[in-house]
Amino acid sequence: MWRFQVTLPDSAKAITDRLASALAPLGIVHGKGEGGDGSDIEPTIATGVAGIDLNQSGLRYFDTHHTPDDTLDRVDREELRQNVAAWTAMLAVVANAPEEIGPVQRKSH
C-alpha cells in the first residue's frame, strides 16, 4: 500500500490525522483525493456513508489480478504483511475514535 484517502465529515478531521500518524511508519501517505471511489463502493459512498480507502500500488496490480495466475502463492509476503498491518491500524483508529464518522456531505465534482 502506498496511500490512504478519506471521505469523512469535517468534524472527524482528527481521525484523518490519527490515520496519517498510524500509517506513516508503514510507508503509507495521506492522498489528496476522496476515499470511496471505484465501482464496487462508489454508489454507497454517494449516499453519504463515510469511507476510507487504503490504496495499493497499481504498478503490477493488473499483471495477475483476475487472471488464472491470481493465486495466493503469487502474493508478495512483505506486501501482504504491510497490507494486514495497514488494515489493522486503520480499523483500530476507526474503532476507537470518539468522533462521529458519518454521515458525509459529498462535494460537487
Side-chain angles (χ1 to χ4, degrees):
M1 298 203 165
W2 68 281
R3 91 175 163 197
F4 77 98
Q5 300 184 120
V6 301
T7 299
L8 297 174
D10 292 339
S11 60
K13 184 184 178 314
I15 295 172
T16 303
D17 296 340
R18 288 193 299 275
L19 284 169
S21 294
L23 296 172
L26 299 171
I28 301 170
V29 300
H30 181 200
K32 302 298 182 210
E34 291 185 333
D37 64 345
S39 61
D40 54 345
I41 62 171
E42 190 170 21
T44 302
I45 299 298
T47 69
V49 174
I52 299 170
D53 280 342
L54 297 176
N55 304 127
Q56 69 276 359
S57 169
L59 294 176
R60 297 187 330 260
Y61 186 74
F62 288 103
D63 291 352
T64 56
H65 182 67
H66 291 311
T67 72
D69 292 328
D70 194 355
T71 58
L72 189 56
D73 62 308
R74 296 206 176 244
V75 173
D76 181 288
R77 289 178 189 254
E78 289 308 310
E79 288 178 4
L80 180 59
R81 284 186 184 102
Q82 185 224 28
N83 192 297
V84 169
W87 280 99
T88 302
M90 185 276 294
L91 290 169
V93 167
V94 170
N96 292 301
E99 298 85 5
E100 288 289 324
I101 296 178
V104 175
Q105 182 70 30
R106 291 291 290 192
K107 296 177 181 122
S108 299
H109 294 290

